[in-house]
Amino acid sequence: MMQAITDMNIQYEDKELLVVYKPAGLATQSARVTSPDLVSSVTRHLKGAPVYVVHRLDKPVEGLLVLAKTKQAAAGLSKQLQAGTLNKQYYALVYRGAEELPKEGILADYLWKNPQTQKAEIVAQASGKGKQAKLHYCVMTGKDDIALLDVRIETGRFHQIRAQLAHAGFPILGDQKYGTQTSMERSEELGIKNVSLFAYALTFTHPKTGKQMEFQAKTQNPAISHLLTTMNYKHRREKKVGVTRSHY
């Protein structure tokens, strides 16, 4: 059964583009006619008008996407994506176990997409087959053996955040492809079924008007939502008693 795009999914729409929230479990674009995907739903919403994909989110990942309605808008947005000025911010809920996770950091690796396993693998720069991948993260909050990270990527590689965090020893909860046995057992305990990665913010320059566009969405992931709510409540209490604290 095809999933329809609702007013709740559409964050913004004009003659050039749409900003849409994609729920976890829905593919951005599927090659299978019988499989539901975001692009097909948007195409029906536009009554058959063309839709141009600028960037994607993995099927088990939720969050914001900008889609173009014209070739000119698609070209302009693609240039921003390549230049690194189309910015995406993510929340990632990771399993840290007993490991010490630095408050903030930069992960820089070379990634190679294995065509057999359809996974991103960390390879040596000298191999010549990997592409540079770089991300910045900071710890927003945490509880016991899990932590919520705010992640910004400089490059948009295949499965980049999932592969790099797992390689660093902090796999994302709910990630069956890159998670460890322990992280998956913890995910099951918490009732997490999808990858706990959420593209919560999107910033770009409108390709037609030149206006700066900024969007944020709320997560549908209960575990991420709970930690954010707890963190915000704690900050409000600290503010009342004059405590100042920064996560950056």
Side-chain angles (χ1 to χ4, degrees), residues 107-113 120-134 155-158 160 163-164:
L107 299 181
D109 300 290
Y110 281 82
L111 294 183
W112 172 65
K113 181 181 178 181
E121 298 180 4
I122 308 295
V123 296
Q125 180 180 0
S127 69
K129 62 181 181 181
K131 293 183 178 180
Q132 188 176 33
K134 191 174 184 180
T155 52
R157 307 304 182 199
F158 176 76
Q160 178 180 339
Q164 286 194 277

Side-chain angles (χ1 to χ4, degrees), residues 191-230:
I192 297 173
K193 298 180 180 180
N194 282 306
V195 178
S196 292
L197 182 62
F198 170 45
Y200 75 90
L202 186 64
T203 305
F204 58 89
T205 301
H206 196 287
K208 182 76 171 182
T209 66
K211 181 182 178 181
Q212 186 74 358
M213 311 292 286
E214 298 180 1
F215 301 92
Q216 287 198 20
K218 291 185 178 180
T219 182
Q220 299 301 310
N221 183 308
I224 294 178
S225 180
H226 173 71
L227 279 177
L228 286 172
T229 301
T230 303

Side-chain angles (χ1 to χ4, degrees), residues 93 145-146 173 184-193 222-223:
L93 187 61
D145 54 358
I146 64 176
L173 290 172
M184 289 311 301
E185 289 173 353
R186 190 71 174 101
S187 300
E188 187 174 349
E189 290 174 4
L190 294 169
I192 297 173
K193 298 180 180 180

Side-chain angles (χ1 to χ4, degrees), residues 82-246:
Q82 293 170 5
T85 55
L86 193 159
N87 295 312
K88 296 166 284 182
Q89 292 281 137
Y90 297 80
Y91 286 138
L93 187 61
V94 302
Y95 175 76
R96 63 184 177 187
E99 295 293 325
E100 182 65 28
L101 180 58
K103 292 289 185 182
E104 57 183 280
I106 298 173
L107 299 181
D109 300 290
Y110 281 82
L111 294 183
W112 172 65
K113 181 181 178 181
N114 187 320
Q116 275 73 45
T117 63
Q118 290 298 299
K119 289 181 64 177
E121 298 180 4
I122 308 295
V123 296
Q125 180 180 0
S127 69
K129 62 181 181 181
K131 293 183 178 180
Q132 188 176 33
K134 191 174 184 180
L135 66 77
H136 301 252
Y137 78 86
C138 76
V139 180
M140 299 293 291
T141 186
K143 183 180 180 181
D144 301 325
D145 54 358
I146 64 176
L148 182 66
L149 310 183
D150 191 324
V151 180
R152 177 176 64 83
I153 55 175
E154 286 192 19
T155 52
R157 307 304 182 199
F158 176 76
H159 290 180
Q160 178 180 339
I161 299 175
R162 298 165 66 186
Q164 286 194 277
L165 289 177
H167 180 71
F170 310 108
I172 297 175
L173 290 172
D175 197 338
Q176 299 183 23
K177 190 177 283 282
Y178 294 95
T180 63
Q181 181 177 344
T182 307
S183 71
M184 289 311 301
E185 289 173 353
R186 190 71 174 101
S187 300
E188 187 174 349
E189 290 174 4
L190 294 169
I192 297 173
K193 298 180 180 180
N194 282 306
V195 178
S196 292
L197 182 62
F198 170 45
Y200 75 90
L202 186 64
T203 305
F204 58 89
T205 301
H206 196 287
K208 182 76 171 182
T209 66
K211 181 182 178 181
Q212 186 74 358
M213 311 292 286
E214 298 180 1
F215 301 92
Q216 287 198 20
K218 291 185 178 180
T219 182
Q220 299 301 310
N221 183 308
I224 294 178
S225 180
H226 173 71
L227 279 177
L228 286 172
T229 301
T230 303
M231 180 186 72
N232 290 334
Y233 174 72
K234 182 179 179 182
H235 283 184
R236 286 196 298 269
R237 291 195 63 185
E238 289 176 345
K239 188 174 181 181
K240 285 183 179 179
V241 297
V243 177
T244 302
R245 183 174 297 171
S246 173

